[in-house]
Amino acid sequence: MLTSRSKEKKVNEITRSLFKRIKKPHDVIFFSLNEMKNFIRKIGLFNKKAKNIYNLSILLIEKHDGNVPKCMNKLKDLPGIGRKTASVFLSHVSEYPVFPIDTHIHRMMFRWELSNGKNVKKTEKDAKFIFSKKNWKKLHLQIIFYGREYSPSRKWNLKRDIIYQKLVNNNLLKKNYQKGKSSKSSGVKEDDIVEEAF
């Protein structure tokens, strides 16, 4: 809920302090909305996020006995919770088959030409079709960490991007940024290279 348009480092700093005060939804209602805003004011969209935390906590108390539901549809009905947040939560607390798609995975799937990049819903569908279900949870995290470190959206160094290089060397990419030529099929599948890399 807090990470949208905010740096993860700052969110982690804030949550360390916030979670000392708030352990469960019932704790939230003892603070005013302005106090909640002050807790998180150093991150983007803090006004909206504070309202979402407040309203979500009330809904959890009134409709779910203070517990976070482990159902995709019920989670998505909560304020400030979209499909990605619900998927990340479910991947950690349930056996529900999810493949959370964040900006890093969306970028990597497009860069590796495993999805067309039109929207995250399509990227999620493609990822679930391409990769083995048993690997979804770990691949989600691995691709995020890989994307941040070796294949960022800015200052992308092709030589450091090992997976991209493997795809290029096996002529699996239509857009060959390094050699400037069209790819030809080599009999090796892109998803095999990506999944083996992790």
Side-chain angles (χ1 to χ4, degrees):
M1 288 178 68
L2 296 179
T3 55
S4 176
R5 296 195 191 173
S6 305
K7 292 193 174 178
E8 192 173 335
K9 185 179 178 184
K10 184 55 69 178
V11 171
N12 289 340
E13 287 173 12
I14 286 169
T15 52
R16 270 195 291 273
S17 170
L18 191 63
F19 292 162
K20 286 177 183 175
R21 296 180 171 98
I22 298 170
K23 307 270 186 206
K24 54 188 184 290
H26 292 83
D27 296 337
V28 173
I29 59 177
F30 291 107
F31 296 99
S32 70
L33 185 56
N34 281 333
E35 285 175 309
M36 186 60 65
K37 287 178 183 178
N38 283 329
F39 288 152
I40 64 171
R41 69 180 310 109
K42 291 183 180 175
I43 59 173
L45 306 175
F46 70 91
N47 282 316
K48 185 176 182 180
K49 289 174 183 178
K51 287 178 189 174
N52 284 340
I53 291 171
Y54 208 81
N55 293 334
L56 177 139
S57 300
I58 291 168
L59 275 176
L60 289 179
I61 293 166
E62 291 178 352
K63 292 189 173 182
H64 303 286
D65 297 321
N67 299 306
V68 181
K70 294 178 183 176
C71 166
M72 178 64 78
N73 290 332
K74 288 180 181 177
L75 284 167
K76 283 166 57 182
D77 284 342
L78 297 171
I81 304 293
R83 186 168 184 85
K84 187 203 87 171
T85 302
S87 294
V88 170
F89 175 74
L90 290 172
S91 75
H92 288 288
V93 301
S94 75
E95 296 302 314
Y96 193 88
V98 291
F99 198 123
I101 304 295
D102 77 338
T103 54
H104 297 288
I105 296 175
H106 187 56
R107 179 179 73 254
M108 301 316 304
M109 290 286 289
F110 177 69
R111 193 168 274 177
W112 294 331
E113 295 184 10
L114 298 175
S115 190
N116 62 18
K118 284 187 177 177
N119 57 61
V120 291
K121 197 170 182 180
K122 176 72 165 65
T123 300
E124 180 183 348
K125 186 178 178 181
D126 290 338
K128 285 182 170 181
F129 177 76
I130 290 166
F131 298 117
S132 303
K133 189 183 284 190
K134 64 179 182 179
N135 295 332
W136 289 356
K137 184 175 179 179
K138 86 172 177 179
L139 274 172
H140 154 69
L141 293 171
Q142 289 173 323
I143 293 172
I144 288 172
F145 294 135
Y146 181 88
R148 282 181 188 158
E149 184 68 25
Y150 301 105
S151 196
S153 59
R154 296 178 184 175
K155 297 182 181 177
W156 178 30
N157 184 338
L158 291 172
K159 291 179 181 176
R160 291 192 72 224
D161 194 336
I162 303 161
I163 293 176
Y164 189 83
Q165 289 300 320
K166 274 196 164 193
L167 294 172
V168 167
N169 293 336
N170 284 280
N171 295 316
L172 290 168
L173 299 178
K174 292 174 194 148
K175 296 176 184 175
N176 192 324
Y177 294 104
Q178 189 174 22
K179 298 178 184 175
K181 63 182 180 182
S182 297
S183 65
K184 294 175 184 174
S185 176
S186 65
V188 183
K189 293 167 99 177
E190 293 156 276
D191 49 300
D192 288 341
I193 286 179
V194 173
E195 202 151 2
E196 283 171 17
F198 294 111

